[in-house]
Structure formats: structure tokens, C-alpha cells
Amino acid sequence: MKRNIYFTLLFLLLSIKGWGQLPLSLWDFAHTNTYMYFPEVLEKSEEFYIQTNHHFLRFNSSELKLTRFRSIASYEKLYQLSDLVGKEDDDILSMYLEYNGEKYKVIRNEVSKDFIGDWVEGGKFYQRRYISDLKLEDGGPLFRFGLEIASWNDAFSFTLDYDEYLLPEDEMSLIIELRLPEAHYEVNADNSSQIKIQSDNHVTWDLTSNKENNSISYKKGVISISSPLSNKSISALFQRRIQNYYTGKLLVYANDKNAPYQTLESFRDPQRQATVISMSGNMESKFGMERTKVVFENPTDEIQFERVIFEKKGVVKDITGASLILRDKQGFPTGIPIQISKNWHNDYKHKFKGPWLRGFTIVAIPPNEKVELELSRVTGFWGTLPAASHSQLSLTSWGKENQASHQLWEESAIGAFGENICYEPYGGIAESMITDVRPLFVKSTQPNIKEPEEYNWTPNVGGGDFLRFYDDKGNRKNIKQVKVDYIRNCPNLTEVSYKGVTANDEADYKLTTHLMRTNDFVKAYYHIELDVKSKLEFSRLAIAQFGSETYAYSYENKFAFGNENGLLKEIKNRKDKLGYVVQEINTPGAAPWVSMHDAVNYDLQNYGTWANRGLILRETVIIINGKVVKPQFSTFVHYSKRIQKPVTLMELNLPLHIKELNEGDRIDMTIELCILPNESNSYYGDNEAFKNFISKEANTWEPMYREAHKNTQLIFLKKGKLLRRNPIKVEAENDEVILDITNGLGYVPITISNISNYRDFNIVITKNGTSVNLKEQEKFGNDYWQTDYNAETKTWEVTYSVPMDESLEP
């Protein structure tokens, strides 16, 4: 009989209350959102949009034209996209090389005109795109150039690079010209190094450049910035004036806390319009913590804010799992958000080739105050458990440039042992939302094959997608205008949402992903939402598909279907025809599941073990024509060009007779994806209950039944309000939660919201009996919980990883 668990957490000592909180202004910019996205599906897009709280940019990369610059006032933030885009195209930005009094315009090279540029960085605070292989119009010197377009939420820039190693001896100049629509902008050029721009909705911008010897002038409606070619770059830097906030006067100091006397470089980067703080990388690989002391001092009588970039280049330890956490002086996570962007690709020469890791944030410091923070970086482990992380992974210097390559790619990992689940929201390379998927804590079982090794990359069993629509001719109708919201990045639980619309604007689409800190196997939640606005017709609809028709790396010999009560059906895989083989498999019960097991290792030369996959339907609400509809499973055979074999995909569908959705219809589902070892002795993690179970049932449907049955948590609240079941989220009442949880496996994430400060609250969690101390997960001090700030409610959210396993199972 299982031992029951009683768990009580009184989170902070009374003495902590006396320490007080950091200045609340540090979270003033947590509401920030920046988006870079395409108006159409990627293969049809010649232009991209950048949209923030404060501005909207529309850029045609094929013609190298900025066709729209729209200032956004606070009262305009809910305007429709069509209002921001506008009905007419402007021609705002032009770039030139001046030589002997002649100006030669910078244009696209016809050979690479279809390439929309590299998506270098993207996230909550900062977006950057780079368009290379530019040239001069006919008659100009045979030089190459590149254009960088970058944006914070309140600042943006255009930088023209001279992309040649040698400088000509002749005197030449780089020139940027800006023609702002006079109906919307008034230009004041009284200052020779700065221009003031006033928009018709009372937004003020300061325009400067990146070098002191650059000149700025305004004449006959044209702003002109000029720089000697010897500078090798020229920038037009726009910065918005924010009422009651000032920038440029903060003093910033940084030290390596693991080597207390080592000062770290911090400097103001005009082009990136931020202070850059170098990270030391001084940490034990996978098991250590890098700790950077950062001091912000405001010597003025006005509040000062600063855009901050934490940067590590060259050798970046364990880059596949990067968690960056801002903590206070005592080591308490603050919830100040950080955007994480990284790149480890260096296949060929590129301006932004890796490896590099960058964290972006914005802080505001009150007048005459000094604030000390700690940037904590962990890779493999946060405390004693592997950290969960989700960040943008740049594809610059990876693969060949083509219309669909080098765009937005997201990588999530448990620990820092290689990727675990990757996402490509625009499907540029794989035409699939989920790309690479790799199991956790598996090692080779073959003595003559060393990979996968412990704490290293594992085999790719990837591929998956959501809401794949097809018309009556079999053409896919893609999701477009995908924007990404990074709600929480690390280290206990990730939460990232992808929002878009269907091909002809018939429905709003949203996919929210979660990956959790654990020590058994990869578990991810997917919340799928579709709200229909007008008639949406289709010949086929896969609500979810694993792998995918355009990205499949694994195939299984058996499939099984069941629910929380056990097995309903097991079938052998048939690959004797393409298309649907088995359809209309019902999904009864509270936790319907499917197991894709007895997977074949198609890459025996490289990997000594493989993995199985499975799905659980955790929550389902489908309303069509005002009636509740149950989804169904099916198998779909597709010939995978990637592994040169027919592969059977698992699909989740609507009933076969439904071929259209109409206004008011909706799909709202939460799915759990599991990636499991399929050889009994391949798992090397330290979860004894899972190790004991998998040693007997590794290559069967039993692991999926175990997860569906025993990891369906039951929650009883004595104080607090349940907001979400998968993963669990509870709203605190007066900074307190009293919660009883039964049933569960591994480590279950529990998020507590509505907390009035980040370090003084009381949480009581019980599981019928024996007490469990979460502090046992601590390693370096205060490194076992996660804190996030909710800018809408101006409250904090705290996430714990609660151990639910018994030491051994019968």
C-alpha cells in the first residue's frame, strides 16, 4: 500500500519580512511586448511587421522599403491591425553610398531577393532582423552591404553595414535618408546631433545616430544622416520620450560573485540602445550556477530607466539549456522578466554566427537610489532538479539561405543535455509546429555504440502539429500572423503562447505550450484554442498530429488506446497504404490516451537506444452548432522523405461528417505529450519509482496508462481559487493558499498567483499524511522555486515542483 504524503510549506522566515522589497519601479516595464511577424504565410510573405506597445513598422524586404511607421499612443493599443498597416504604402527609408558627389542607392541583390532576411533575435523585449547581400544600383562600386532592423518596445533602429573587409582609399560616405509622411509627423532639427519628431497623436521621438562624427540634417522634408565609410556602419536610432522617465544617466557595475574581485565589463552600446553587461561563464558545467552581481545607481533627481543586455559570446557552457533569473541581494527570485535569445550555429561565416547567449530586460531605478540584483544562470540543474527552459534559438549560420529558412525557431529543454522539444511557428523549414523531439535521461544500451551518452544529446523522434487544415484539393491552409507571448521562460515551468489567424481570417488561433521541471521523462502540455468568426470549410482537419506530414523521424509497430480505467484497444501498425488507415477511434472517459510504442530505431549506426511517444487528452471542450462534440483518434500513413520510410502518424480529429465550422464554434483542448524510454535499461535518471516501473514495462502501453491514471491530480482547496488544472494554477487569497492534492507522479508543477509581493506569503499544500520539505530541492540557496510577475494584475506568481512519487511502487 502506498504511503500517503502530508506537505506543509511555510515559505519564509519571519525575519525575511524585515528586509523589505525592492523598488516597485523595477517592474514598470514588465508589461512590455514586442512582436515581429509576417502578414501572410511565410512562403508568400515579402514583408514583415514589427509591433510593440509604442510603434508599428511595416517593411518590404523584397523591395528594401519601409512602407509604414506608425506611432502608437496609449489610447490606441487596441486598434485593429488594418488600422496600423494602412491603405497606402509610404517610401520612408533610403540608403546610399556617396562617392565623388554621386549617390548610389543600396538595393537588393536579385539573386537573393526572395530571402526575407535572418531572424536574429526575437522575444518579449527585443527584435532583430538582418538582410544581407545588398548591393549598389547599376554604376556604383561592387561593394556588399547589409541592413539591420532592430526594435525594443520604445526604440528602434536601422543600421547599414559596409560588408567588406578592406576600405577603399577614396573618400566615401554612407547616407541614410528618411522621408516621414508630413501629414503625420513634424520634424524639429535645431540640434545638429539629434532631431525631435512629433507625431500627430502627440508622441515624441528623438532621432540620433551611432557615431559621434556622424552628421544629421533636415531639409525639404528629408532627414539625412551621413557617416564616413571608415566607420563601416551608419544607424538611424529612434527613441521614444516616455513621460516621467529618463534614460542615459544610470551608473552600472557588475562583478562575478563566484570570483568576487573580478569586475565584469559593462558599457553603453549606442547601436543597440542599451547597456551591455558581459557574463563570465564562471560555473561548473551542467551542475553549477553562474552568479553576476549587478548594481544600478541613479545619481539624479529623476527616475532613470535602462535597457539591459546580458551577453556571453565565444564559449557558452551548456547553451542548449539556458535559464536566466534575476534575484535580489538575498537570492530571492524577483520575477523581473528576461528575454533569452541564443545561437550555437556556426556552419558558415555570418555577422551573427554563434555561439552567443543574450538576456534582455528593462529596469527603472528611483531618484538617488542604488539597487543591487543578481543575475543567476543555470543550465542543467536548478537546485537538485533539472531546470525547464524555453527560448528563441537563432538559425543564423545554420543551413542555406532560402525563402523559408533562418526564421523564428524556439527551443525548450529540461536540463542542458540537448534539445527536448523545438517549435517553428511559421513552419519555414519543416512546415510543422513541432520539429525536433528528444527523450530525457536515456543512454545507449549497445556496448558498441556510445550515443546517446549521459547528459548529452539523444535521438530525434520528432514531428507534430496542431490545427492542420486542408481544402478540397488537398492544399494546406496555414496559420498566419503568428505572434509569440513569453509568459514564463524558466526554471520550473515554461509557458509560451502562439497566437494567429487562419488563412482567410475565419478563426482566431492560439496554442499555449508548457514544459516542466522533472527527473523522469519529457512531459509537455498543449492548450489548443480555435474561436471561429466566419464559415471555415475544409476537407481534412487534424486538431493535433504526431509526427507530422512534413516532419517525421520515428515510426512505431504498435498503437494502443485507453483511458484512466485501462486498455481499450491495441492494434498493430499497418503501412500498406498511404492516407487514413484506422479512423473514428472514440475517446471515452476522463483521461483518454494513446500509446505509440515498440518504436523502431532507424538510426542504429548512431544511437544505441530510442524512444516511444504518447498523448493524453486532459481537457476537452468542442462546441459545434451549439452542441458538444467528442474528438476521435485516427492513424494516417505518410511517406517520410527524412527517413525514407512510410510513417504512421497519430491524429486527433473531429467526427468524419464535420467538414465546416461556423461563427460561434470553438475548440478548446489540453493535450499532454509524453516522450518515454523504450528500452528497460536505457533510463539513467534518479527517479526510483519510474526506474523501477520502466525496467518492467518500457516498450508497452503501460507507461501511458500509468501516466493517465496515476498522474491525474485531484485538487481540494480550503483557501484559494482553482484557475487551471493542467498544469495546476491556483489564485491566492490574501497571499495565502491551503491546498490538498492527491494522485500524482514525478514532480507536479503548482503555480500560485495573486501574490502581493515576491517573498512574503504563506502556502500550505497537503497530501494526506507524511510531510515533505521542498527545501530539500535547494542546492545553492533559494534555488528551488520560480517567480514571475503578472503585469496586468501587478501581482506575482510562484511555481513549485511538488514531489508526488513514493520511493518505490509495488
Side-chain angles (χ1 to χ4, degrees), residues 313-374:
K313 297 186 292 185
V315 177
V316 184
K317 292 180 180 177
D318 310 313
I319 193 171
T320 57
S323 292
L324 298 177
I325 304 130
L326 275 173
R327 303 199 291 174
D328 68 11
K329 192 174 182 178
Q330 290 78 30
F332 289 85
T334 64
I336 298 171
I338 299 180
Q339 169 188 328
I340 304 171
S341 294
K342 60 191 180 186
N343 179 25
W344 59 69
H345 306 103
N346 55 10
D347 294 355
Y348 64 93
K349 182 181 178 181
H350 190 281
K351 178 180 173 69
F352 296 101
K353 72 177 181 179
W356 48 259
L357 170 69
R358 299 187 183 108
F360 302 83
T361 193
I362 304 175
V363 296
I365 308 299
N368 301 302
E369 283 207 32
K370 182 186 291 187
V371 173
E372 179 180 328
L373 297 173
E374 175 183 307

Side-chain angles (χ1 to χ4, degrees), residues 37 51 56 76-86:
Y37 60 104
Q51 183 176 347
F56 176 84
E76 296 178 309
K77 290 179 181 178
L78 298 179
Y79 271 31
Q80 297 295 316
L81 178 61
S82 58
D83 297 318
L84 296 174
V85 171

Side-chain angles (χ1 to χ4, degrees), residues 760-774:
D760 184 9
F761 44 87
N762 180 53
I763 298 170
V764 177
I765 302 175
T766 62
K767 193 186 173 186
N768 297 334
T770 307
S771 64
V772 174
N773 182 11
L774 286 186

